[in-house]
Amino acid sequence: MQTTLTKAAARAINATKIYGSAETAVRALDEVSVGFPQGQFTAIMGPSGSGKSTLMHCLAGLDQVSSGEVFLGDVELGSLSDTELTLLRREQVGFIFQSFNLLPTLSAAENISLPLLLAGKRPDRDWLDTVIAEVRLGDRLAHKPSELSGGQQQRVAVARALVTRPQIIFADEPTGNLDSRSSAELLGFLRRAVTSFGQTIVMVTHDPGAAAAADSVLFLSDGRIVGELREPTAEAILDRLKAIGE
Amino acid sequence: MLTVTFKGLWAHKRRLVGMLMAVVLGVGFLAGALALGDTLSSNFDKLFASANAGTDAVVRSATTVGTGVGAQRPAVDVSLAATIRAVPGVAAAEPSITGFGEIIGSDGAAIGGNGPPRLASYWLPDPVLNPYKLAQGRAPATPDEIVVNRGAATAGKLRLGQTVTVLMPTPVRVRIVGIATFAGTDGLGTATLAAFNLAGAERNILGITGDAAQASSIVVRAQPGVSQAELTSRIQRVLPANVDALTGVAATQQAVSDVSGTFLTALRTVLVVFAGIALLVATLSIANTFAILVAQRSRESALLRALGGTRRQLLGSVVVEALCIGALASGLGLLAGLGIAGLLKGLFDSFGFALPAGGLVVSGTSIVVSVLAGMVVTLGAGLLPALRASRIPPLAAFRGAAAEPARPSLLHAIVGGVLASGGVALVVAGIQAPTSQVLSVVGIGALLTTVGVVALGPVVAKFVTGFIGRPLAAWRGTPGLLARGNAMRSPRRSAAAATALMVGVAIVTLFTVYAASLKTASDNGVKGSFNGDIAITSGGFGPGTLSPELATAIGGLPGVRTATGISAGEALIAGKAQQVSSVDPVHIGAVLDLHPAAGSIAALSDSQIAVSQHEASNRGWQLGTALPATMPDGARMQLSIGAIYTSRDLTGDYVVPLALWGAHNRQGVNSAVFVKLAPGTDLAAAKAAVTTASTPYGQPTVNDRAAFIAAAGQGVNLVLGIVYVLLALAILIAVLGIANTLSLAIHERTREVGLLRAVGQTRRQLRSMIRLESVILSVFSVVGGLTLGTFLGWGLSQATNVAQGFATFTLPVTRIALILVLGALAGILAAVRPARRAARMPVLTAVATE
Ligand SMILES: Nc1ncnc2c1ncn2[C@@H]1O[C@H](COP(=O)(O)OP(=O)(O)O)[C@@H](O)[C@H]1O
Ligand SMILES: [Mg+2]
């Protein structure tokens, strides 16, 4: 049934999300249909309140659409129970939030393996080593989050997202709280995960420079997809954003 | 500023519920205890007032023998009634004759079991003097007719005209000719009454008729127009020496103050002590809640400071908050107290201490005391966190720093260590102190130890919770690992959360260990001194109710070599009211070895007394020392010590020969009959024969040696049972405290919960994590409490052994293990609500919370 060549890691069909009811109702997503191809790095941009986070939460099984369908791989999320959704997130989805990504009581190493620990699975040693080497955390593994810098904390979050080899990773403004050097480093890690491991990544960002690291950029406005840019450059993105009126 | 305070209170109302509950329960217990005291005192007042309503004067002996409710007085001559009748102004004068009489119900069992008093009396023919009124039938006209109270008739399914057995305690067959009420109710509380005519009362209660008969007192009614005072002074003139007349009003007051002065005061004290324990635990628990709330609001507080709020205003704000909570909780607690008073009464009733019924009464003092206690407790708990809040620098608002130091300071550790080790040293040393000081020294040591251990809690919390959490983490996987991390993250808070339960468990353990130690001592003592094969006991409290005929009847059974009774009573010896046992010196040796250290029980003459070694050495007495004694009938004499014995578990400190005791007591009753069988007699068959023979005597308990030894310590377990129930509320408050701490912690960790859920923690795992954290905290408390309580129990039993000569330290292993398991279960229970709420939090709100 898939018409595109590459299979979609996640897709939404006529997804609508309405918050509140009657007069106070907010249409955070308005009939959004979109697919995120496997092995691709997609950035989502748009003005504040345009529904970027909402789209991501619905795709990740953290929230449910009001109408329409959402698929993760071949699984339709609407029919799943809370436990099934949780297990799906644990095994198929990786998360990187803007802040507060780590549990303060766990060491960096434990935070990285957290999804595996929750699943009661032994980590694949080789893969774990690869991931840790990739984000260059080797000497910080025993530290608690409070002993790590912001950049290091986000790197731990990247490693955690990668460790289960999920179907897709969602990153909501992962560089939002970082300085430019740490940001560039983090984007490098994400880029390499896509290029070297074929990881699918969807990233919300406000920074055209960051979005330029992606394979394509989706533009959202008032809960609707208003455009797409392939092989983006920072300048092209800026132009497009001006056109939307941010 | 006040507006801000109230808005804040309202906004956090959910979080305050737990705190409110703790105070409500604590105040409720106190109010309930006080209300029960008020109610009983008012009921006793009414009871005595109605009992004495028609009495204008009471004539009785001026001396008392013994102490306690209705302290025994020597008797007065029945014939004195006739003398008094001749005094001008006297309308009626009757001897008041009361004693023991147990009515056997239609089912063959004694009515009322062993609980309420079972009274027999002379049915006063004067309807004004007699507090009982006939509801059916007529007054007894012959010695074998009786009136019973309506309550007894109902309970025993007795009808008018029915012939019943009354144990006086020797069984007599009598016919019920009347059924009476007392002040419109079924009876005097739950007491049963069998009332005879004068001849019947003399024969069955006094055992003597005619001129030698003696009554407890003479009650007098005045002719109209003669005042009580006038009547009394006229009567006094005709009375012999050592006999007093007092007005009816004074007699009522004295009866009331006898009860309030002894029984009620003791009951009140016990209940208030346990209410105090509950309030202490509540204070510890809400102090922690306040600390957490204030810490959680540190940003808010700092913002207020930055905006120009003074430290004073901030302090005032928390104080007002505490006062509001205290006032609300105390008000609710007062209401709860009314319910708790009813429960407490039920508790005592169910353990066999029947208390008079009647509507609930609460005095103004009780209300003020309860409310004040609630306010003081809440304010006290809130003060330290309030001071801390007021010290938050305005800059903290922008840094978002926690106002709560997570780790205790070195000074804290040192002070705690010094207090705890000083306390322990004092307890250990106190045991060697001179007898008279042992209890106080050990008591102070115990207090210091407790304070020290509480202070050390935060110092050891990280290590101990980590230690407890390790096996849980291994067993329950990731939720266990996370729970362990959470329990260890703020040692100060974990320890504070655990303190309330720890203190509660320590007190439970202290009582458990102490009771076990008393029981061991009793078991060993009974085992070492009881040589008989069968024991017959009347059970219940107070002096016995067995007829002396019973021993004779059993002595005649085939295979029985010796059957001898032992009875108990009170006499004044060397100036103090003492419990005295009386035995037959010739036969007692066959069943009871008191292990004489000097002299011989068997050779005890009628002018001699045997005293325990413990008492003799405490008072500095020796063999041959002459002790002044006043017998229950008022006879004074000198008794010389004829034997000093060491086994005092079955007889107490004083033993007199039966012949001496019997000569100075009215109704002879035995508390137990001990039986020795001839060698080769089949025990089971003999026991069956003894049971059959004793059935007509009110179906007393018949035990073989092993069962008797086991039952001897049952009294201790009964009291322990009551103590457990009284402590249950404190434990409940402590467990609520843990639940409250958890709820607050989870509220604080909303984002963590969201993150965990996002990366794949199922609801079940989340609940398990919270439950395990709760288990770690409660096991931490329970282990601390068990250790502390065992040590204090050891100290107390050693001290008791030195001071009182009984208690052998015993560690009740099963019970201790049970407390540990129950503690862990309590942890699981405490987590139910917080876990459910955490699991219900939508993942997204958690993730999105900034
Ligand atoms: N839980 C919520 N309740 C009500 N409205 C919400 C909620 N979450 C988001 N919204 C609204 O939905 C719209 C889209 O929000 P969001 O997806 O967070 O935007 P973005 O991430 O693009 O800034 C906004 O108008 C926001 O106010
Ligand atoms: Mg957003």
Side-chain angles (χ1 to χ4, degrees), chain A residues 52-54 172-173 204:
Chain A
K52 307 182 293 290
S53 295
T54 305
D172 197 345
E173 305 190 33
V204 169

Side-chain angles (χ1 to χ4, degrees), chain A residues 19 26 28 47-54:
Chain A
Y19 285 114
V26 174
S48 193
S50 56
K52 307 182 293 290
S53 295
T54 305

Side-chain angles (χ1 to χ4, degrees), chain B residues 131-189:
Chain B
Y132 284 89
K133 306 285 170 242
L134 278 171
Q136 285 177 54
R138 56 171 174 83
T142 66
D144 50 9
E145 291 179 342
I146 57 166
V147 171
V148 298
N149 66 305
R150 196 164 66 191
T154 313
K157 300 202 171 61
L158 304 176
R159 282 169 294 98
L160 218 54
Q162 188 175 341
T163 301
V164 292
T165 301
V166 181
L167 304 179
M168 297 301 303
T170 301
V172 295
R173 297 284 289 169
V174 289
R175 207 161 65 85
I176 298 171
V177 295
I179 290 176
T181 55
F182 179 90
T185 66
D186 277 353
L188 200 163

